[in-house]
Amino acid sequence: MTLTLEYVMSKSAKRLEGLLPVVRTATERLIQRSFAAGIPIVITQGLRTITEQNELYAQGRTKPGQVVTNAKGGYSFHNFGVAVDFALLLPDGRSVSWDTSRDGNADRKADWMQVVEIGKALGFEWGGDWKSFKDMPHFEMTFGLSTAQYRAGKRPSQAQIQTAMKRIGEDDEQMDKAKTIVNDKRIADSLLVDGTVYVPLRSVGDALGAAVSWDNKTKTATLTIKSN
């Protein structure tokens, strides 16, 4: 199937809920920038409750499975909406991959590391840089606060958030955008990737007075223009 930016964004929508707004914005930009580089990704983890964290911590300890985290509930940045995990979204639009050597866009560079580069440019710290217990899918934006400070109720200052938003905005300005006009009406900005303009289908449909529907079972988008 042909993956659209709108579809790729929709795959991660639920996992973005509950994130600190500035972290959510950075994560959305991560998805968009990766897509522009020919690398669709999906967010597999976002906000995690304390209960969910404790259940994950029990895996490989008091429950079957491999150890996947060293953090108990309240000791993970996921518990405070400032961390996300990602995976590569495969061409079928359903399967995901954690293959860090995969070169799906055929540019002779590992897709995974290209996503990491984009994430760091946005201000994320990458779990793959940790000296122990490397967490390759993990990004976090902690604003210099510890989990102990988050547990105590401390949150990023407005100045820190503004600085982060400025960095995200500067990155946004570097994206290749295209203006799209439909019936003399400008719709939402599109992305220009390798000479091809990718437009948001729903915005086009609205401009044409058409109905847009999505069949998740067959992964089919349909645009129907009403006759006069």
Side-chain angles (χ1 to χ4, degrees):
M1 67 178 294
T2 300
L3 299 180
T4 65
L5 177 58
E6 186 175 25
Y7 173 77
V8 172
M9 292 292 291
S10 73
K11 294 290 289 184
S12 298
K14 286 292 184 183
R15 293 296 184 183
L16 302 185
E17 294 177 0
L19 292 177
L20 194 70
V22 63
V23 177
R24 176 170 182 153
T25 299
T27 304
E28 290 171 344
R29 188 63 63 241
L30 175 70
I31 299 169
Q32 293 163 356
R33 287 283 290 170
S34 297
F35 182 84
I39 310 169
I41 65 171
V42 62
I43 301 304
T44 58
Q45 287 286 308
L47 176 68
R48 227 185 260 143
T49 67
I50 301 297
T51 299
E52 290 171 338
Q53 187 68 38
N54 282 329
E55 289 177 352
L56 199 62
Y57 180 79
Q59 184 175 315
R61 294 180 173 89
T62 59
K63 291 184 178 181
Q66 291 184 325
V67 172
V68 293
T69 181
N70 283 334
K72 297 180 180 179
Y75 289 79
S76 167
F77 286 111
H78 280 286
N79 304 149
F80 305 101
V82 294
V84 297
D85 294 342
F86 80 96
L88 304 176
L89 183 62
L90 297 182
D92 65 6
R94 298 185 301 275
S95 306
V96 298
S97 171
W98 286 270
D99 182 357
T100 58
S101 63
R102 175 180 167 79
D103 181 18
N105 61 356
D107 64 354
R108 298 184 179 181
K109 299 178 182 178
D111 293 348
W112 197 276
M113 296 312 298
Q114 288 180 272
V115 176
V116 168
E117 183 178 349
I118 293 168
K120 288 182 176 182
L122 287 163
F124 282 110
E125 296 176 48
W126 178 47
D129 287 331
W130 296 346
K131 293 183 179 179
S132 61
F133 203 87
K134 292 183 180 294
D135 193 347
M136 302 296 279
H138 184 86
F139 284 118
E140 61 185 36
M141 192 175 291
T142 66
F143 302 93
L145 300 176
S146 66
T147 54
Q149 289 174 306
Y150 276 104
R151 289 196 303 276
K154 190 173 179 60
R155 293 296 181 268
S157 68
Q158 190 60 38
Q160 287 176 307
I161 291 174
Q162 289 175 345
T163 298
M165 287 300 291
K166 182 179 179 182
R167 183 169 185 173
I168 295 166
E170 288 174 347
D171 186 77
D172 184 36
E173 291 172 3
Q174 297 172 15
M175 294 181 67
D176 290 327
K177 288 187 176 181
K179 296 179 182 177
T180 304
I181 308 296
V182 179
N183 285 346
D184 297 324
K185 179 181 179 181
R186 181 176 173 179
I187 64 171
D189 283 340
S190 309
L191 288 181
L192 179 62
V193 183
D194 294 332
T196 300
V197 177
Y198 293 85
V199 299
L201 185 60
R202 188 165 299 280
S203 295
V204 173
D206 290 343
L208 293 173
V212 178
S213 61
W214 172 255
D215 186 328
N216 194 54
K217 183 176 182 180
T218 62
K219 308 300 179 185
T220 302
T222 303
L223 187 149
T224 304
I225 299 177
K226 299 176 182 178
S227 62
N228 292 332

